[in-house]
Amino acid sequence: MQFMLLFSRQGKLRLQKWYVPLSDKEKKKITRELVQTVLARKPKMCSFLEWRDLKIVYKRYASLYFCCAIEDQDNELITLEIIHRYVELLDKYFGSVCELDIIFNFEKAYFILDEFLLGGEAQETSKKNVLKAIEQADLLQEIFERASFQHLLWDSIITHHDIHVTFLRIPKKQRLLAASWRKSDSHKNALLLCSSLAS
Amino acid sequence: MSDVVEKTLTALPSLLSLDSQPGSAKLSSNSKLGNLIRGITELTSKHEEEKLIQHELSSIKEQVSSPNTTMRQMRELMVRAVYCEMLGYEASFSYIHAIKLAQQGNVLEKRVGYLAVSLFLNENHELLLLLVNTVLKDLQSTNLIEVCMALTVVCQIFPKDMIPAILPIVEEKLNHPKEIIRRKAVLALHKFYLIAPNQVQHIHNKFRKALCDKDPGVMTASLHIYLQLIQENAEAYKDLTASFVTILKQVVGGKLPMDFNYHSVPAPWLQIQLLRILSLLGKNDQRTSEVMYEVLDESLRRAEMNHNITYAILYECVKCVYTIHPKSELLEKAATCIGNFVLSPKINLKYLGLKALTYVVQQDPKLALQHQMTIIECLDHSDVIIKRETLELLFRITNAQNVTVIVEKMLDFLRLSKDDHTTVDLAGKVAELAEKYAPDNEWFIQTMNAVFSLGGDMMQPEIPNGFLKLLSEGFDSEEEDRKLRLFAVNSYISLLQGDPSKLPQRFLQVICWVLGEYSYLKDDLDPVVVLRLLAQLLDMKGSSSDTKSWVLVAMTKLCWSETAVSVAQQVAETYSSSFDTTLRQRAQELQHLSRDSQLHSRVLPPGGSLEPVEVDSSLSFLDGFVSEALSAGAAPYKPLHQRQEELSRSKALSLEPYGLSLPISTSSCSITDRQSPTLLSTSSGLSGDSTDFSHRGSSTTLKLDGVRRVWGREGYLAQKEPVEEVAQVEIPSPLRSPGQQGDADSCHSRTPTANPEGDREKQQLASSLFGGLSSQSSVCLMEKSERFGRKAKGQRASSTPNEQRSDPSVSSSSAVDNLLCNNLLEENSEPIDSSTKQTFQHPQSLRVPNGACDAEAIISDDDTKGRNRPVSPEEHVEGDDFPPCEDKSKDLSLTAHLPAELSGFSHSEIIPLCSNRSLDLSACHVQTDNTVVLVVFVTNSSEDANLQIQVLSEELEVCCPCESPVEEVRGHSVSVRQYSLTVKRPLVHFELVGRLSYSAAGTLQSMQFSYKLPLTSFIRPLTVSTEEYGSMWLAFSHDTKQNLTLMKEEQEPLSATLNALKKKLSLHVVEIIGVEGLVACSLLQDQPCLMHCRVHAGRLAVWLRSPVADLPDCLLYHCQRALQEH
């Protein structure tokens, strides 16, 4: 895959990921042209486009267009499914994703994308594994933010021990988090902190 | 799932204004990013947005540079900066802070820092160097998340030059207990392979380990690398076919964990990747293909569910079935699949169906017939993309009967197309069809006119060039040629009399040339009229200076009558003071030639032909001038790449850590002798060396490409017609003439299913489109023979050798005194690469329209003699680099045919390349002192045949010193050919591809073959003293280091190891001092490579240096292998 763009029905760019080195000028030009071309197409038309020497695969989800550029020998249908899988991942992560989630948390959307596609290739196609990777990092973040007074302590522990994080999810926005790590002197798992975060 | 998403998403736009929505409210109310985003959505004009963002950026700028900003705040600032960049506003001031954040932050801040870096910078950004240390540190971290982040960023952007710094650590990660780390490490190696393949050559066996990983995710990741490797060289991975097939079987059989299912289809991504790999492996290889038939059948059978993802797999399967060696049963099933695609009401599937049809129609034209009505419908589809793909399909099934209809459809599309890329592509295709299948002159010229005016100035330059070539060379009887040219002249005159300002520049240039050359054919036309029409082009506003010089050249050709001269003089007057030098030159030529009618008729004989003129492409007539300048102290010429290299060298960063001692003390050489004698000699060659046997490849010649360009592109225009030769009669279209179209109609009328009268029009269209298809279904549709018919003359001309790059002393005289010698250098000749595809056009591509290159080349055999020296023992090549020879007796019998002058040297085993019933091709390579010669043996076991062999390689320069391209081989005999090889760019292994075309008993056939030889064949010992070694060492810029295993020898392990290397790779051991050893060698004559070895902790630390990029890496690989095998 050469690049992926997410833009709104109004033509506003929401996310861009480039897997080929291009200058900023070139990127802007491509984005402008593509947004224009894709927006001009009617809903019942083909999801594939030939554009320059690339193929564009796009799909609209509500007000958002997902648009990927692939090379000639790549499979268009599977690219369409890559888009779909990405939407599924976003959906699962945000819990019924909407455009606003992506606008306000676009860095999260990037993190998910990076776990799913790496260097333009599908890295991990198992939904569970992608989310696990993301949530491990997220969990840390939440614990950090909740327990900011322990900031320094945590930091040193994390960098010196193999941390085991388990994560439980109870329906939407309610999370029970538990972190445990192995103490170097004892072989017993010691639960040091269990914080329940409910919002 | 998607329905749910869709529903929730549709409900949302209205919420943009309402902040009461719980999710967004929480996020947006308290964060600065939220404020910014909300601020933007409230704005109404672009101008306001700009103001707001500029304000935002300046506040971010202020905060990031303040020392009081915590890392946590920085994280927030970076997110905002990324957002501003996404909106299209530059925030370059924040790049350095993103790197700092990745460097100094805790895990979470790092994550944002890395993300910002990967979004802000691209691969070539210089700030990336600052990231290397951070990545290095994080890769070694004990925190898994940090390692993951570092690997993720490495997979996205990493400076190519710094790969060696982290490569060992990334390699280590392949053994990490966590699969996510292993997976990312594999992908990082994939990335390295893409940007610097030489760097990861030594870890190919680790890729195999990744392929066998117990985690399916890691295995899938390794397939990305394999796909790439196999695309480049399928031969080397044939042994893995069975493994890939087994994996696919397990996947299809549902043996993977449920996690990998996607909508209850097992691991579709994996399946598609495997299918792509299999199709590459099975291409043109029956044995390998047979291994995969079963699993392909299984895949086709299993994928029956009605979901996009199964169609994706099916599509890949069909492509694979049609790519590998065919099996009728599978083809049948695949054809049914394609039918399902084409007939599907879903537009995406229909598109893919058309694409699949386009792909397979060459093998199976009947398939197109089956679906003709669908194709017709698609031709009028409302979606442009479908239309376009249909035209692509039609392009593939065009023949002499349906060409007019199809070309018309394509031109219709062109008229409406607004997309440049499509226009260029389609215009090229129409031109190709017109050239191949034109029913008559009139149609041909009119179609080409349409192509030129629609294609505009973006069109590939080959189209007008090809067209002019065709006109000038002719393809039929002389009378036909005359008619064609006359028709062209007529049509152009009327175009010019209309409104020429609307015509594209390229078209005007074509018109100028044709009028200049052929307007004399029209009897009742006064050249003055033409001159006036041309002059009018000069005054036109839109004319480019390029076009103007075409006009002037055309005028030069026309001004041989009294009145014409006066018009010409006037024009010449105006332009002889032009600022444009080319224009001024043309104007001068016009002025002088129009004055002197005698000179004019000598240079440009009207309607006549010129004697072929020889071109001295080596410019050897300038040798005297060059040596004079050199002796006067001028700097020697350096080829462009060398200059760039030196420039970049002076800029490059030193990557050596401080405190590392140089292997040779610096006292022996001062700054001034940094340029060692060896280096100088490689850069300062004269073309005087060009008589050397292999002067084309060696770097001791003047690099001429750069010089040639200066001399104006339309130079050849001023020249006259090529030698008038009687062209071969065009081969008539294979089947019926257009007059017999009626028959075709009747045979098709029953094909479409019961359609009432309303569809009659479509049926008619169908019969005209698919005319000739049904009856020739067994014939290959892309009729190569027809093209050959038109181009046949080129091949005939080539029966005299026209390899031009020959003895300069002979050709120089004629070239120097040629008045317009610059016109001879044709820029527009097709690149040599194309010759692999169009073997028979190749001889033509060397020709200039005026036939200048047709001259007999004088190639002496002398230089191959006198090199017959006994072979030294270390030059002996170990057989292990060559594939085992199966047929010893054949080898022996062929050895006898080895040319006498090569028999003294060691040669590799003779391996069979390809064979068929009558011909048998084998080859070996011989290492002489200063060259490597590829010797090809052609054993002809049946009757006499004419054959032509072409050998090409991307990395090697191939010189065929003494043969004409076409040679006759007597029946039951062996013919031997020699090609001398020189290295353009070092690689571990070089691959040559070749094509043998031969005609025997009136049929024309061709075979392809490939030959592989290792870098070591080109390595020669370099005898230098320790002092020379020292000064050379400092002058070389490319280097690489690695630890190698030391041989287990009780005493003197160093010298034992070095001797082993010396024996295997023919190196020269300069000196052994204690635990250090100095070794030197060179790539053939002039590209030295030095090796410094030191015994350290039971290992051999090797440091290689060379002025040639990649040479150290490649040589290191061979050293490693040589020691492993020991």
Side-chain angles (χ1 to χ4, degrees):
Chain A
M1 192 182 291
Q2 305 248 342
F3 56 84
M4 187 178 204
L5 300 176
L6 262 69
F7 50 87
S8 70
R9 212 167 37 179
Q10 289 79 28
K12 279 255 189 288
L13 196 59
R14 296 298 180 211
L15 203 92
Q16 52 174 344
K17 191 82 196 180
W18 302 83
Y19 298 111
V20 282
L22 289 171
S23 70
D24 285 349
K25 213 172 133 196
E26 187 76 5
K27 284 181 191 171
K28 270 186 204 165
K29 192 170 164 241
I30 290 175
T31 312
R32 204 174 44 237
E33 273 181 45
L34 262 186
V35 168
Q36 233 170 34
T37 323
V38 170
L39 286 181
R41 289 178 63 79
K42 298 196 184 81
K44 288 280 170 208
M45 281 183 165
C46 191
S47 301
F48 316 130
L49 269 179
E50 270 162 56
W51 184 79
R52 300 205 193 166
D53 51 348
L54 295 176
K55 263 186 322 203
I56 307 296
V57 176
Y58 73 91
K59 189 157 186 194
R60 184 179 154 182
Y61 287 88
S63 56
L64 260 191
Y65 283 88
F66 289 69
C67 176
C68 295
I70 53 173
E71 277 143 80
D72 193 49
Q73 69 274 18
D74 291 336
N75 190 317
E76 292 93 342
L77 280 177
I78 199 81
T79 313
L80 214 50
E81 296 312 304
I82 283 185
I83 295 178
H84 189 72
R85 174 43 59 103
Y86 183 45
V87 174
E88 282 180 358
L89 286 169
L90 291 172
D91 193 56
K92 189 112 184 189
Y93 180 81
F94 288 109
S96 305
V97 71
C98 65
E99 192 186 338
L100 289 179
D101 285 327
I102 295 172
I103 299 174
F104 286 106
N105 297 293
F106 68 91
E107 83 274 20
K108 295 270 170 54
Y110 275 122
F111 291 142
I112 296 174
L113 186 61
D114 282 349
E115 283 306 319
F116 175 43
L117 293 176
L118 198 47
E121 306 283 358
Q123 178 198 181
E124 176 59 75
T125 51
S126 150
K127 193 150 57 171
K128 201 177 84 191
N129 289 351
V130 174
L131 290 174
K132 208 165 81 190
I134 293 293
E135 281 164 354
Q136 276 187 357
D138 272 4
L139 173 73
L140 278 179
Q141 177 157 6
E142 291 196 36
I143 294 172
F144 271 128
E145 274 161 13
R146 289 277 153 170
S148 52
F149 57 93
Q150 283 189 338
H151 195 274
L152 286 172
L153 176 70
W154 273 86
D155 211 359
S156 62
I157 290 168
I158 284 167
T159 45
H160 289 106
H161 300 277
D162 189 5
I163 182 167
H164 294 269
V165 182
T166 45
F167 177 80
L168 286 171
R169 189 181 189 119
I170 300 166
K172 233 167 130 188
K173 314 276 181 193
Q174 289 227 331
R175 294 167 186 191
L176 178 73
L177 306 164
S180 68
W181 62 87
R182 196 187 297 267
K183 269 195 163 176
S184 53
D185 48 358
S186 78
H187 294 286
K188 219 172 75 189
N189 274 347
L191 196 68
L192 284 193
L193 181 93
C194 177
S195 83
S196 163
L197 308 165
S199 55
Chain B
M1 175 63 70
S2 70
D3 294 339
V4 182
V5 185
E6 212 135 343
K7 266 180 213 153
T8 42
L9 286 178
T10 9
L12 276 167
S14 58
L15 295 173
L16 261 173
S17 49
L18 302 173
D19 265 338
S20 56
Q21 210 263 344
S24 65
K26 190 195 88 192
L27 290 157
S28 54
S29 58
N30 50 15
S31 77
K32 284 182 184 159
L33 176 71
N35 285 338
L36 172 65
I37 295 170
R38 273 186 309 156
I40 290 171
T41 47
E42 278 158 19
L43 297 178
T44 46
S45 74
K46 182 84 188 159
H47 179 68
E48 278 178 322
E49 180 190 297
E50 211 162 289
K51 241 167 65 183
L52 183 76
I53 300 283
Q54 289 309 345
H55 178 76
E56 180 76 16
L57 280 176
S58 58
S59 99
I60 294 177
K61 192 172 185 176
E62 196 178 307
Q63 285 184 61
V64 289
S65 43
S66 141
N68 299 327
T69 312
T70 63
M71 280 295 146
R72 197 165 172 187
Q73 285 166 320
M74 196 67 104
R75 187 177 99 202
E76 207 272 319
L77 287 169
M78 278 308 128
V79 172
R80 267 153 67 198
V82 169
Y83 191 80
C84 292
E85 281 244 325
M86 187 158 68
L87 289 178
Y89 300 89
E90 200 200 278
S92 53
F93 62 86
S94 55
Y95 296 174
I96 185 78
H97 296 283
I99 290 177
K100 232 165 80 186
L101 188 64
Q103 221 158 48
Q104 298 167 357
N106 66 25
V107 188
L108 299 168
E109 290 141 10
K110 239 179 212 312
R111 193 174 172 213
V112 174
Y114 274 134
L115 176 69
V117 169
S118 71
L119 291 172
F120 284 150
L121 307 181
N122 69 22
E123 234 156 72
N124 313 316
H125 204 286
E126 48 191 4
L127 279 181
L128 265 190
L129 281 177
L130 298 178
L131 195 71
V132 175
N133 254 330
T134 316
V135 169
L136 202 59
K137 203 183 82 200
D138 285 340
L139 280 177
Q140 288 161 314
S141 160
T142 50
N143 185 341
L144 288 186
I145 294 175
E146 282 182 344
V147 180
C148 277
M149 286 189 303
L151 283 172
T152 306
V153 85
V154 164
C155 292
Q156 303 186 50
I157 40 162
F158 200 76
K160 190 174 155 187
D161 313 333
M162 298 307 288
I163 289 174
I166 60 162
L167 187 59
I169 303 171
V170 175
E171 266 177 74
E172 235 168 66
K173 297 288 178 228
L174 289 175
N175 300 321
H176 201 277
K178 280 270 183 240
E179 61 274 357
I180 184 170
I181 304 276
R182 292 203 301 274
R183 193 176 67 216
K184 283 182 195 260
V186 170
L187 283 169
L189 291 177
H190 174 232
K191 170 82 176 174
F192 293 165
Y193 181 76
L194 289 180
I195 57 178
N198 282 330
Q199 310 266 21
V200 288
Q201 241 155 0
H202 61 286
I203 39 180
H204 280 192
N205 53 348
K206 291 199 176 154
F207 295 157
R208 285 196 187 222
K209 221 182 122 202
L211 183 66
C212 305
D213 200 286
K214 61 180 187 293
D215 181 67
V218 182
M219 186 262 291
T220 312
S222 76
L223 290 183
H224 295 310
I225 301 181
Y226 275 106
L227 181 64
Q228 197 69 30
L229 289 170
I230 291 169
Q231 249 164 12
E232 280 156 27
N233 180 11
E235 286 304 317
Y237 298 93
K238 296 268 178 183
D239 58 321
L240 285 175
T241 315
S243 318
F244 291 130
V245 168
T246 320
I247 298 173
L248 185 56
K249 252 185 208 150
Q250 290 177 354
V251 176
V252 175
K255 297 271 167 31
L256 287 191
M258 287 296 277
D259 281 352
F260 290 89
N261 281 10
Y262 176 82
H263 294 263
S264 64
V265 176
W269 280 273
L270 181 53
Q271 285 196 45
I272 283 174
Q273 199 78 352
L274 283 167
L275 285 169
R276 285 180 68 184
I277 289 178
L278 289 184
S279 71
L280 289 170
L281 285 171
K283 198 173 183 179
N284 301 328
D285 184 343
Q286 186 173 359
R287 247 207 346 241
T288 315
S289 300
E290 272 162 7
V291 183
M292 45 186 99
Y293 287 150
E294 194 193 324
V295 75
L296 288 177
D297 193 46
E298 177 88 4
S299 299
L300 281 175
R301 206 160 46 78
R302 291 249 182 179
E304 268 167 357
M305 213 180 48
N306 189 11
H307 187 280
N308 255 348
I309 197 74
T310 53
Y311 285 119
I313 296 172
L314 271 181
Y315 177 69
E316 210 59 49
C317 241
V318 167
K319 254 171 89 175
C320 182
V321 167
Y322 271 96
T323 315
I324 63 173
H325 189 87
K327 188 187 183 201
S328 56
E329 218 176 290
L330 280 177
L331 287 180
E332 231 166 79
K333 284 185 187 170
T336 327
C337 268
I338 295 182
N340 290 341
F341 274 92
V342 175
L343 297 173
S344 165
K346 288 185 183 165
I347 190 164
N348 287 347
L349 295 186
K350 203 183 256 314
Y351 171 82
L352 284 183
L354 287 172
K355 231 182 99 171
L357 263 187
T358 314
Y359 187 73
V360 306
V361 79
Q362 273 154 287
Q363 288 178 45
D364 194 356
K366 274 191 204 141
L367 220 49
L369 276 179
Q370 273 173 25
H371 300 295
Q372 47 178 315
M373 288 321 282
T374 322
I375 295 174
I376 303 281
E377 272 162 29
C378 291
L379 207 49
D380 289 324
H381 202 280
S382 56
D383 192 343
V384 161
I385 301 302
I386 300 281
K387 247 181 175 169
R388 175 82 182 78
E389 196 52 46
T390 315
L391 286 180
E392 192 70 40
L393 172 60
L394 290 179
F395 168 70
R396 301 288 171 106
I397 58 167
T398 311
N399 55 31
Q401 285 165 55
N402 56 19
V403 65
T404 43
V405 193
I406 290 180
V407 163
E408 200 185 302
K409 288 277 166 203
M410 287 168 103
L411 288 176
D412 282 346
F413 187 88
L414 261 182
R415 282 187 194 105
L416 297 174
S417 160
K418 287 189 191 79
D419 174 41
D420 292 352
H421 196 267
T422 315
T423 309
V424 171
D425 184 55
L426 219 52
K429 285 185 170 145
V430 174
E432 192 186 327
L433 290 182
E435 201 177 295
K436 257 195 246 170
Y437 302 115
D440 56 64
N441 290 336
E442 203 168 320
W443 183 88
F444 179 61
I445 296 291
Q446 268 164 3
T447 307
M448 288 314 282
N449 284 357
V451 170
F452 288 134
S453 32
L454 291 170
D457 291 321
M458 292 159 311
M459 201 163 41
Q460 303 109 310
E462 291 86 56
I463 299 173
N465 291 343
F467 174 68
L468 294 185
K469 214 181 238 177
L470 204 94
L471 268 189
S472 65
E473 279 159 11
F475 46 84
D476 244 312
S477 67
E478 209 155 322
E479 179 55 24
E480 276 296 302
D481 283 349
R482 207 186 66 83
K483 273 190 196 158
L484 175 68
R485 290 166 190 163
L486 190 58
F487 193 84
V489 170
N490 281 335
S491 108
Y492 294 158
I493 294 273
S494 60
L495 271 175
L496 286 190
Q497 279 161 348
D499 183 8
S501 61
K502 281 186 190 139
L503 300 176
Q505 300 297 314
R506 280 263 169 75
F507 192 18
L508 289 177
Q509 292 164 8
V510 169
I511 293 177
C512 290
W513 190 84
V514 171
L515 289 183
E517 291 286 329
Y518 301 118
S519 59
Y520 73 89
L521 289 173
K522 195 170 152 78
D523 298 326
D524 53 343
L525 186 67
D526 187 353
V528 180
V529 177
V530 183
L531 277 180
R532 294 239 159 82
L533 282 173
L534 289 174
Q536 162 204 343
L537 295 182
L538 286 174
D539 300 332
M540 234 158 55
K541 249 191 215 148
S543 301
S544 66
S545 66
D546 242 7
T547 311
K548 283 181 185 165
S549 35
W550 285 71
V551 173
L552 289 178
V553 174
M555 286 178 144
T556 316
K557 291 177 203 164
L558 287 172
C559 58
W560 27 269
S561 78
E562 286 280 324
T563 37
V565 168
S566 68
V567 179
Q569 286 289 355
Q570 219 176 340
V571 173
E573 199 93 335
T574 330
Y575 283 93
S576 54
S577 56
S578 161
F579 285 122
D580 189 313
T581 43
T582 325
L583 267 184
R584 208 155 64 220
Q585 190 190 343
R586 300 282 166 248
Q588 290 290 344
E589 282 165 15
L590 175 60
Q591 201 159 29
H592 287 289
L593 289 176
S594 62
R595 267 195 212 131
D596 188 342
S597 63
Q598 244 182 346
L599 184 63
H600 186 271
S601 61
R602 217 182 85 211
V603 178
L604 303 162
S609 58
L610 263 188
E611 285 302 304
V613 182
E614 282 178 26
V615 182
D616 177 13
S617 63
S618 71
L619 298 188
S620 60
F621 53 89
L622 288 174
D623 282 358
F625 175 74
V626 173
S627 54
E628 217 170 87
L630 277 178
S631 63
Y637 175 75
K638 288 175 188 165
L640 182 65
H641 65 89
Q642 196 186 339
R643 273 177 279 156
Q644 278 168 345
E645 208 167 82
E646 280 173 18
L647 206 69
S648 65
R649 198 188 304 162
S650 60
K651 272 195 215 156
L653 295 169
S654 162
L655 306 179
E656 300 302 331
Y658 293 118
L660 220 147
S661 66
L662 285 169
I664 303 296
S665 73
T666 41
S667 62
S668 64
C669 57
S670 63
I671 299 294
T672 44
D673 57 25
R674 267 188 75 85
Q675 280 233 331
S676 73
T678 353
L679 193 70
L680 252 183
S681 71
T682 54
S683 58
S684 66
L686 289 185
S687 56
D689 294 340
S690 57
T691 41
D692 190 84
F693 173 67
S694 58
H695 74 270
R696 278 218 296 147
S698 75
S699 59
T700 47
T701 44
L702 272 175
K703 190 88 177 172
L704 297 170
D705 305 350
V707 182
R708 200 181 287 187
R709 238 168 268 144
V710 189
W711 286 359
R713 55 195 318 212
E714 59 291 294
Y716 73 92
L717 249 193
Q719 288 305 123
K720 267 284 175 186
E721 260 313 83
V723 199
E724 296 283 338
E725 275 182 71
V726 187
Q728 196 170 315
V729 180
E730 186 189 357
I731 295 175
S733 63
L735 292 159
R736 293 168 240 181
S737 69
Q740 285 167 299
Q741 191 84 39
D743 300 10
D745 283 0
S746 64
C747 92
H748 283 299
S749 50
R750 59 192 141 84
T751 334
T753 43
N755 267 330
E757 21 188 281
D759 280 348
R760 177 159 299 161
E761 219 173 281
K762 280 187 179 171
Q763 285 183 18
Q764 253 169 11
L765 182 58
S767 56
S768 51
L769 276 175
F770 296 93
L773 259 190
S774 58
S775 41
Q776 64 170 96
S777 52
S778 61
V779 185
C780 170
L781 273 169
M782 297 296 280
E783 272 299 338
K784 283 284 177 246
S785 65
E786 276 190 59
R787 173 148 216 157
F788 183 45
R790 272 178 196 255
K791 297 281 181 184
K793 217 194 61 174
Q795 196 217 351
R796 179 149 358 139
S798 72
S799 57
T800 57
N802 54 9
E803 274 287 322
Q804 244 300 303
R805 312 159 183 104
S806 59
D807 194 341
S809 60
V810 180
S811 51
S812 59
S813 57
S814 59
V816 174
D817 62 14
N818 188 306
L819 187 76
L820 298 165
C821 62
N822 54 344
N823 291 337
L824 302 175
L825 295 168
E826 189 198 29
E827 272 220 334
N828 303 319
S829 69
E830 293 166 42
I832 298 296
D833 303 26
S834 67
S835 56
T836 37
K837 278 175 261 152
Q838 305 169 339
T839 322
F840 296 106
Q841 290 174 39
H842 177 225
Q844 253 192 343
S845 71
L846 289 170
R847 291 164 43 125
V848 187
N850 60 17
C853 278
D854 238 10
E856 195 99 13
I858 300 134
I859 295 157
S860 67
D861 221 354
D862 292 351
D863 39 23
T864 46
K865 292 169 192 159
R867 287 183 289 109
N868 216 343
R869 263 174 275 140
V871 60
S872 56
E874 63 260 13
E875 270 184 43
H876 180 71
V877 196
E878 296 288 308
D880 53 24
D881 270 326
F882 306 109
C885 180
E886 292 145 41
D887 197 347
K888 276 281 172 204
S889 61
K890 199 156 104 193
D891 190 340
L892 280 179
S893 68
L894 285 175
T895 314
H897 290 280
L898 214 57
E901 71 266 21
L902 295 176
S903 59
F905 298 100
S906 66
H907 67 86
S908 68
E909 274 181 283
I910 299 173
I911 54 163
L913 295 176
C914 59
S915 62
N916 66 3
R917 265 181 298 115
S918 54
L919 284 179
D920 215 344
L921 221 62
S922 313
C924 70
H925 59 267
V926 181
Q927 295 174 230
T928 69
D929 287 354
N930 47 12
T931 54
V932 173
V933 182
L934 176 74
V935 185
V936 179
F937 304 91
V938 186
T939 317
N940 187 356
S941 49
S942 68
E943 65 228 80
D944 299 1
N946 270 322
L947 62 90
Q948 185 178 15
I949 302 185
Q950 283 197 333
V951 183
L952 288 171
S953 168
E954 272 178 40
E955 296 84 13
L956 292 174
E957 191 93 44
V958 184
C959 249
C960 178
C962 51
E963 272 129 331
S964 62
V966 180
E967 193 197 22
E968 198 183 331
V969 177
R970 302 234 143 263
H972 308 286
S973 73
V974 179
S975 149
V976 179
R977 277 144 190 277
Q978 299 178 34
Y979 300 88
S980 84
L981 308 176
T982 27
V983 179
K984 281 196 245 173
R985 187 162 67 81
L987 260 192
V988 172
H989 290 282
F990 297 101
E991 187 156 12
L992 290 153
V993 288
R995 183 188 163 101
L996 163 79
S997 328
Y998 67 97
S999 57
T1003 56
L1004 189 76
Q1005 293 185 51
S1006 72
M1007 292 195 279
Q1008 287 182 342
F1009 56 87
S1010 69
Y1011 188 84
K1012 202 168 160 188
L1013 68 169
L1015 175 79
T1016 43
S1017 326
F1018 295 91
I1019 297 294
R1020 303 284 179 272
L1022 177 69
T1023 322
V1024 288
S1025 67
T1026 311
E1027 287 73 37
E1028 282 171 324
Y1029 183 96
S1031 56
M1032 280 161 82
W1033 180 269
L1034 289 172
F1036 296 166
S1037 57
H1038 297 278
D1039 68 343
T1040 186
K1041 281 188 229 177
Q1042 182 110 15
N1043 285 339
L1044 300 180
T1045 44
L1046 206 54
M1047 278 168 55
K1048 288 180 186 62
E1049 193 95 9
E1050 301 281 299
Q1051 306 148 338
E1052 307 261 347
L1054 175 64
S1055 64
T1057 313
L1058 289 187
N1059 274 331
L1061 282 178
K1062 174 178 163 183
K1063 221 157 95 192
K1064 289 212 166 176
L1065 306 173
S1066 66
L1067 310 173
H1068 171 72
V1069 180
V1070 181
E1071 202 178 349
I1072 298 179
I1073 318 164
V1075 292
E1076 293 184 36
L1078 310 180
V1079 182
C1081 65
S1082 72
L1083 190 60
L1084 290 184
Q1085 290 286 289
D1086 44 13
Q1087 303 184 316
C1089 183
L1090 304 180
M1091 187 161 127
H1092 174 258
C1093 313
R1094 190 167 52 175
V1095 180
H1096 179 71
R1099 308 266 292 168
L1100 186 67
V1102 190
W1103 190 354
L1104 289 128
R1105 276 198 173 197
S1106 166
V1108 187
D1110 299 339
L1111 182 56
D1113 289 314
C1114 299
L1115 197 61
L1116 185 63
Y1117 170 81
H1118 283 288
C1119 291
Q1120 235 166 355
R1121 266 200 59 188
L1123 289 179
Q1124 262 168 20
E1125 277 158 13
H1126 211 85

